[in-house]
Amino acid sequence: MTQTISVESRTDRSTPIIALLLLSGVTLDIQYGILAPLIGVIATESGLTGSEIGWVLNAMMIGSVISVSLTARMGDIFGHRRVLLALIVLALAGCALGATANGFWPLVAGRFLMGLATTIPLSWGLLRPRGTARQIRQVSLVLSTVMAVFGPLALSAGGLIVGLGLPWQTVFWLTFALYAVMLVLALISPETPVAARAVAQLDWFGALGLGVWVTALLIGIAEGPGQGWTSPLVLGAFIVCAVTLAAWIIQQRRAQEPLVSFRNMDIRQAVIGYSGILLISLVGQGIFIVLPALLQTPASSGYGHGLSALESTYAYLAMIPGAALGYLWTRWGLRRLGPRIVLVVSGGAGIFVFLGLALVHDQVWLSWMWVFLYTLTIVSCLTTGYTLVAAAGRQDNMATTIGMQTIIQFVGAMIAVAIILNVLVPGPDGFIPEATFAGIYIASAVIIAFFVIVWAVLAPKRITDLHAVDTETDPTKVHVGSH
């Protein structure tokens, strides 16, 4: 009875936190996706070069990496709500700066400040001390579904802004409004209980070291395709990354309280969860970069469809029913079959999807079907990954655990983008060869097959949640299952 009262009293106050977490996912989708259809407009009106536009886009990612490495752990130690409020205020300032910017550096600074507001890890940190095992699992499923739905909507919204003739700065004011609502939700959300915070000194060297080597890696990857892989900037970035990474690993191994600690966690579950998140970062670019390039290739090529930039984004609307059906499949599968079978089945079907993209793309409607099936299969792997990681995190390191998945996503995505940009180049006739499109998709299918093999051998059969509030005093209430 005592535990029941405790759980109820702690979960009753979680509603604004769940709303904050879901809105964080929506905001992340919008601020990353809505600018894509506006790149040409921004470049024309602002007089920015392609390289400068790239920095405007990447500044947000770099800000996120730096923020995750430092603020997630600060939240675990000092209270997630306190840190979250400060970051949201910075994001509001960044949105206002981006909306009123006149030139390259103000735009970069605005996007960087927006990137600092890594609200998802901190929101998870607020929820974990109050969430039951079932609640953590359900929120994970809903969050990934919401983000899958709003991803294509963000792209369409950017195209709509162009179509309506609205100024491109509108996207910053839209994001400003979302952060304003998040600020209200954060203000009414309860702070992380002192008992659920990490009892440790902030590992400044570990936090800053993580931010430095990941940022250097991102800069090298981002600038490699444009400036050349042997340019001083790119080589210097990779050298800084290697040296800092080596020092960081040594420091973390010797630290009494390392930044990333898997103590009292299901390590295999966490690593398999991260792998599901990494997979979509590696192969998802085939949908978001390669497919629009194929659809926009002139019909005179013999295999392209000659769609406009806006028309090529319509296929992403198929993600909405795909995400809805994928949510039902993943929820049912995790409960009845377990994560191993869900990952293997979804990943195996994903191999078929990418082989289909490689070999069957002669009709525009087929792109809608492949996008739908991609969301149903590969996004299911992502959702399962989110659920595994969320269930693995401790109450005193939840923000850091979720923050690491953000870094994994960014690094994986930027590596894939760098490779694709080096491969996706026009041939002598001015068109990207059809064999190039097919090759990228076949390579993606091979990558998925590798992950499926790993999951078939190592993925857990059941989800273990040792740190939910309903298992704190009675661990036997959670079904651990066999691994």
Side-chain angles (χ1 to χ4, degrees):
M1 179 65 68
T2 302
Q3 185 194 10
T4 302
I5 295 174
S6 175
V7 171
E8 289 178 353
S9 65
R10 295 167 79 176
T11 55
D12 285 345
R13 304 184 66 191
S14 63
T15 300
I17 300 175
I18 294 174
L20 176 63
L21 178 57
L22 296 179
L23 186 57
S24 295
V26 171
T27 305
L28 181 68
D29 269 351
I30 288 178
Q31 60 190 6
Y32 273 102
I34 201 169
L35 278 185
L38 303 175
I39 289 176
V41 177
I42 296 174
T44 300
E45 296 187 6
S46 302
L48 301 181
T49 65
S51 176
E52 289 174 332
I53 288 290
W55 273 104
V56 170
L57 298 177
N58 290 332
M60 187 170 184
M61 196 174 298
I62 292 173
S64 296
V65 168
I66 293 174
S67 179
V68 164
S69 66
L70 184 61
T71 62
R73 192 56 175 163
M74 290 177 66
D76 286 335
I77 295 174
F78 304 116
H80 302 95
R81 178 178 175 273
R82 182 179 293 113
V83 179
L84 189 58
L85 287 171
L87 293 184
I88 292 176
V89 170
L90 288 177
L92 289 170
C95 292
L97 182 59
T100 58
N102 184 20
F104 170 65
W105 286 112
L107 261 179
V108 169
R111 291 276 292 177
F112 179 82
L113 289 175
M114 292 166 66
L116 289 178
T118 51
T119 54
I120 291 180
L122 292 164
S123 300
W124 268 116
L126 282 174
L127 179 62
R128 172 48 113 176
R130 298 174 174 85
T132 64
R134 184 170 181 268
Q135 190 176 47
I136 293 295
R137 187 178 306 184
Q138 284 293 101
V139 172
S140 299
L141 292 169
V142 173
L143 175 62
S144 61
T145 302
V146 166
M147 294 182 70
V149 168
F150 274 89
L153 289 180
L155 290 167
S156 299
L160 182 62
I161 288 174
V162 174
L164 294 176
L166 297 173
W168 57 266
Q169 291 88 346
T170 303
V171 303
F172 288 96
W173 290 124
L174 174 61
T175 311
F176 183 94
L178 293 173
Y179 274 116
V181 176
M182 289 172 61
L183 180 62
V184 174
L185 290 172
L187 286 170
I188 64 176
S189 296
E191 180 59 278
T192 308
V194 175
R197 300 179 197 173
V199 182
Q201 294 288 328
L202 180 61
D203 182 7
W204 287 98
F205 187 89
L208 295 174
L210 175 63
V212 169
W213 76 257
V214 176
T215 300
L217 178 61
L218 294 182
I219 291 174
I221 294 171
E223 291 299 309
Q227 297 203 21
W229 297 103
T230 58
S231 66
L233 175 61
V234 174
L235 286 178
F238 285 140
I239 290 173
V240 170
C241 171
V243 172
T244 309
L245 174 59
W248 182 77
I249 292 175
I250 294 172
Q251 184 269 340
Q252 287 291 287
R253 289 176 65 87
R254 294 178 177 177
Q256 193 170 22
E257 283 289 338
L259 187 69
V260 185
S261 172
F262 292 100
R263 175 176 48 83
N264 296 330
M265 288 173 56
D266 189 319
I267 298 176
R268 179 168 29 157
Q269 180 169 287
V271 171
I272 293 298
Y274 286 141
S275 72
I277 295 162
L278 176 61
L279 173 64
I280 199 171
S281 300
L282 296 176
V283 304
Q285 312 311 318
I287 297 296
F288 291 101
I289 296 179
V290 182
L291 183 59
L294 175 62
L295 294 174
Q296 293 172 33
T297 299
S300 58
S301 65
Y303 50 86
H305 300 285
L307 302 184
S308 68
L310 177 58
E311 290 171 337
S312 67
T313 66
Y314 292 159
Y316 295 135
L317 296 177
M319 285 186 166
I320 297 175
L325 188 58
Y327 167 78
L328 297 175
W329 147 242
T330 309
R331 185 182 66 176
W332 179 86
L334 290 177
R335 185 173 64 248
R336 298 298 180 89
L337 306 175
R340 179 185 295 179
I341 294 180
V342 171
L343 287 169
V344 170
V345 171
S346 297
I351 296 173
F352 165 78
V353 171
F354 277 89
L355 290 178
L357 282 163
L359 303 174
V360 186
H361 50 251
D362 55 330
Q363 300 292 327
V364 173
W365 68 267
L366 287 169
S367 64
W368 288 70
M369 181 185 73
W370 295 129
V371 168
F372 169 81
L373 292 176
Y374 163 84
T375 311
L376 179 60
T377 58
I378 300 301
V379 174
S380 175
C381 297
L382 171 72
T383 302
T384 303
Y386 277 155
T387 306
L388 289 169
V389 173
R394 301 193 310 267
Q395 290 188 12
D396 64 341
N397 79 338
M398 190 64 173
T400 303
T401 301
I402 298 296
M404 285 302 299
Q405 77 181 22
T406 303
I407 292 177
I408 289 171
Q409 280 182 292
F410 287 167
V411 173
M414 291 198 71
I415 290 174
V417 169
I419 293 173
I420 287 175
L421 292 180
N422 273 273
V423 174
L424 211 63
V425 295
D429 58 358
F431 304 134
I432 298 171
E434 185 177 16
T436 299
F437 292 112
I440 292 174
Y441 286 130
I442 291 173
S444 298
V446 172
I447 292 172
I448 298 171
F450 170 79
F451 277 81
V452 169
I453 294 171
V454 172
W455 292 334
V457 177
L458 298 178
K461 293 181 179 179
R462 291 287 180 265
I463 295 178
T464 301
D465 194 331
L466 301 176
H467 307 285
V469 295
D470 52 343
T471 62
E472 286 180 325
T473 58
D474 186 6
T476 62
K477 286 196 173 186
V478 68
H479 177 60
V480 176
S482 60
H483 289 247

